[in-house]
Amino acid sequence: MRLFLTLLALCAVLFVASLTSGQITAGVSESLAALFARDGLPLSVVMQEIRLPRAILAVMIGASLGMAGAAMQGFLRNPLAEPGLIGVSGSAALGAVLAIQTGLTLVCPLALPLAALTGAVLAVLLILMLAGPRGASITLILAGIAISALAAALTSLVLNLSPNPFAAADIVFWMMGSLADRSFVHVWLALPFMAVGWVLLILSGRGLDALTLGEDAAHAMGINLTRLRLMVVIGTASAVGAATAVAGAIGFVGLVVPHLLRRFVGARPSALLWASALGGAAMVLAADIAVREILPQRDLKLGVLMALVGAPLFLHLIFKTRKEMA
Amino acid sequence: MTLLSLQNLTVRRGDCPVVDDVTVSIAAGECVGLIGPNGAGKTTLLRGALGLLPHEGQSSLTDMSAADRARHAAWMPQSREIAWPVEVDTLIALGRIPHLPRGAKLTPTDQTAIDAAIARMGLESFRRRTATQLSGGEQARVLIARALAQDTPLLLADEPIAGLDPASQIATMQVFRDLARDGHGVVISLHDLGLAARHCSRLLMMHAGRLIADGPPRDVLTPENIAQVFNITGFWADTDHGPVFQPMEVTR
């Protein structure tokens, strides 16, 4: 409970900080007042139509990545699992890349997230087909790796054959992940998919707890493993697919956040789900503030910063684990 | 009262029957030892009975819904998996999952069952320890307690005492006997024929997927049976301290 309140408070503070971060500087109270003002002043417009959706998206995407990471780790009983493992983010990226390459995004800006979502849906259908209806987790991992590799190869192919250097640059920048210039349209587009994902993942908590004892014991305790797998795969796909669709590929959140929080929830997979959702939201909010504060003129990409912070953090975890094992 | 009945249960791996046409029933109050050499089909029989493997023939457990079965029979698999560094208390509480509605907190009834399981296995001093940091034998006792906390009429355990020290082996067999005396049905597979002879009320002897012998230990552990199934000779004596069985020589 204390952890819950701490994480919630952290998210609230970072949310306000995110709202007040950016090129137009204004005090906290002034900015928050502008959120509700109907005066059409630049600050009000910026607050209501740029910063608010950006902060909300950071929360939604962080929560999706964190929760999906915790669910994947719990389901595969492997602390190195992450939501990208089942190939959904790679396939969503491929969808987006195709939309940029074909010029669809110039006709209709929403074509990009919609194409990315289509990629994610196709990936999940493919993975369920490949892994079989009641296959073990190893077939799921293998199918995920195969799909990720295929999506990465096709993405490279598109870049390779791209006749238009501007489209290629667009693609590369999009793939780095960012929350800049998103609007409420993106929020409303992603929210239904993410909400479905969150519900499915939260409902899988009990099964994930039982899986602590292995598949056989969980099955004998009345857990329907086929249904659990469907819930985890579809939940992860719809939450992470939607996240990738609106913000591009943002790595490390789903891997590092459950890792950091595991010991604070007594390692219980069900408790780790919501803890990682809040932790992921806090992490993405913080990173999105950092990209605006560190190099305000250079449009530093969120995914790049996350990888820069995440990789050393992960190294630290490796050394700590090694020490514990010695 | 019959807690488990198997009718012509056959489990195949490919075309080869690993469990071949086994018919048996287990009643309340029985502590049944399932014995047989490696590969005789002991684990497969138990998993088939629970519906964890596709099978032919009837098992009373697979006729139940998954939720009812989980409240009727607890299962301790041979692979002692503890995936996360949870506290012993938390791990044992997982046994209550079949009794809890989704998302519900532990009720006093659940806590009583957990405390009783911990007391039976003598794990009071381990409650706050991290399960993954215990020794193998200690982990096995914690996992037995987890199965006991499920508080089911029937308990099926696959080699629960393998790897335990002698005192823990004897104490654990005593726990199973007490459970049977309290009206539970217990089926455990084990390789220690001496402990099986002393503590089980009934033995099932398997060989190459078939049930070879079924009855009180004295009638199952005959020289002919153990020579045919295990390729060993044995020594049986009735003493003031109960029956003693000691495997002696390899015959082949």
Side-chain angles (χ1 to χ4, degrees):
Chain A
M1 200 60 206
R2 195 191 300 157
L3 176 71
F4 181 76
L5 292 177
T6 311
L7 287 172
L8 207 61
L10 183 64
C11 282
V13 169
L14 288 168
F15 191 83
V16 173
S18 173
L19 285 177
T20 51
S21 164
Q23 290 191 0
I24 299 185
T25 46
V28 173
S29 55
E30 196 187 342
S31 305
L32 293 183
L35 264 186
F36 305 99
R38 298 234 161 266
D39 50 15
L41 292 175
L43 181 63
S44 306
V45 175
V46 166
M47 286 302 291
Q48 290 167 16
E49 288 173 25
I50 297 176
R51 291 191 191 167
L52 185 60
R54 183 170 184 158
I56 291 175
L57 275 176
V59 170
M60 285 165 46
I61 288 165
S64 296
L65 293 172
M67 194 190 280
M72 280 321 274
Q73 294 187 1
F75 181 72
L76 297 175
R77 283 163 292 150
N78 187 335
L80 293 178
E82 54 125 5
L85 196 68
I86 57 171
V88 172
S89 2
S91 309
L94 176 63
V97 165
L98 284 172
I100 298 173
Q101 171 62 30
T102 51
L104 273 178
T105 45
L106 300 174
V107 183
C108 160
L110 272 185
L112 193 152
L114 288 174
L117 278 173
T118 313
V121 170
L122 289 178
V124 97
L125 293 178
L126 198 59
I127 200 168
L128 290 175
M129 208 173 73
L130 280 176
R134 51 181 293 170
S137 50
I138 184 75
T139 52
L140 188 69
I141 298 176
L142 288 174
I145 291 174
I147 292 172
S148 297
L150 183 66
L154 290 174
T155 305
S156 300
L157 182 69
V158 174
L159 276 171
N160 186 185
L161 298 182
S162 174
N164 177 349
F166 296 106
D170 267 359
I171 290 171
V172 171
F173 279 121
W174 184 85
M175 287 203 300
M176 290 177 185
S178 169
L179 285 173
D181 306 325
R182 303 303 193 267
S183 69
F184 267 108
V185 176
H186 293 93
V187 173
W188 297 126
L189 184 72
L191 191 59
F193 290 93
M194 288 188 178
V196 167
W198 297 335
V199 169
L200 285 173
L201 293 179
I202 284 290
L203 287 179
S204 69
R206 170 189 161 101
L208 296 180
D209 277 352
L211 267 183
T212 303
L213 297 166
E215 295 188 3
D216 240 29
H219 191 168
M221 280 198 283
I223 302 296
N224 183 336
L225 293 176
T226 310
R227 201 175 67 189
L228 179 67
R229 191 172 72 161
L230 271 179
M231 278 163 60
V232 170
V233 170
I234 296 179
T236 300
S238 78
V240 175
T244 311
V246 292
I250 298 171
F252 277 100
V253 182
L255 183 60
V256 174
V257 169
H259 238 310
L260 286 174
L261 294 175
R262 177 162 290 119
R263 58 199 171 114
F264 296 108
V265 296
R268 270 181 51 220
S270 58
L272 190 59
L273 286 175
W274 59 258
S276 297
L278 290 174
M283 192 167 177
V284 174
L285 276 170
D288 191 43
I289 295 167
V291 295
R292 281 176 284 175
E293 297 297 329
I294 295 174
L295 285 174
Q297 313 304 326
R298 290 302 311 272
D299 187 24
L300 183 59
K301 296 291 184 190
L302 188 58
V304 177
L305 182 95
M306 202 65 90
L308 280 175
V309 177
L313 202 61
F314 205 69
L315 281 180
H316 167 71
L317 283 171
I318 294 171
F319 282 114
K320 216 178 63 192
T321 313
R322 266 176 50 174
K323 220 180 277 169
E324 276 167 17
M325 276 165 32
Chain B
M1 190 177 69
T2 305
L3 295 176
L4 167 66
S5 79
L6 305 178
Q7 285 283 330
N8 309 107
L9 190 85
T10 298
V11 182
R12 292 177 199 281
R13 181 155 294 164
D15 283 336
C16 170
V18 184
V19 168
D20 196 356
D21 199 28
V22 171
T23 299
V24 72
S25 72
I26 310 293
E30 287 190 299
C31 177
V32 181
L34 182 58
I35 57 174
N38 296 131
K42 304 184 294 296
T43 300
T44 309
L45 175 70
L46 294 174
R47 294 186 70 211
L50 280 158
L52 300 174
L53 292 172
H55 57 84
E56 297 153 34
Q58 296 285 314
S59 162
S60 58
L61 292 179
T62 55
D63 295 339
M64 302 179 184
S65 73
D68 288 342
R69 190 192 62 220
R71 286 189 285 267
H72 181 78
W75 164 236
M76 180 192 165
Q78 187 176 5
S79 61
R80 294 162 185 170
E81 274 184 68
I82 303 176
W84 303 111
V86 291
E87 277 185 6
V88 167
D89 241 3
T90 311
L91 189 83
I92 293 173
L94 292 178
R96 300 305 296 171
I97 285 179
H99 300 272
L100 287 172
R102 191 184 286 285
K105 292 247 179 293
L106 294 175
T107 65
T109 322
D110 296 312
Q111 199 54 56
T112 311
I114 294 165
D115 292 343
I118 288 174
R120 270 203 203 265
M121 293 309 297
L123 291 167
E124 285 89 349
S125 57
F126 288 90
R127 294 184 83 131
R128 293 265 152 263
R129 298 273 299 276
T130 302
T132 44
Q133 288 172 1
L134 301 177
S135 77
E138 288 164 346
Q139 288 187 359
R141 286 165 58 205
V142 169
L143 289 170
I144 295 169
R146 195 290 299 165
L148 295 181
Q150 206 169 330
D151 196 21
T152 51
L154 182 65
L155 171 66
L156 306 176
D158 197 3
E159 299 199 20
I161 61 166
L164 270 60
D165 60 48
S168 302
Q169 285 193 331
I170 295 169
T172 304
M173 290 305 290
Q174 194 68 50
V175 166
F176 293 141
R177 241 161 85 165
D178 292 347
L179 277 174
R181 206 188 46 217
D182 297 348
H184 293 77
V186 179
V187 184
I188 53 169
S189 71
L190 73 174
H191 283 297
D192 190 318
L193 301 179
L195 287 170
R198 273 186 77 81
H199 296 280
C200 295
S201 60
R202 176 181 168 196
L203 293 182
L204 303 176
M205 186 184 262
M206 288 189 75
H207 184 47
R210 296 186 149 271
L211 191 58
I212 297 284
D214 174 3
R218 170 194 312 280
D219 301 343
V220 171
L221 292 171
T222 59
E224 300 76 44
N225 278 347
I226 60 169
Q228 183 206 343
V229 171
F230 290 101
N231 298 312
I232 55 171
T233 60
F235 168 82
W236 178 286
D238 289 298
T239 71
D240 298 340
H241 306 286
V244 170
F245 180 82
Q246 173 66 43
M248 302 298 286
E249 310 279 343
V250 177
T251 55
R252 193 182 50 179

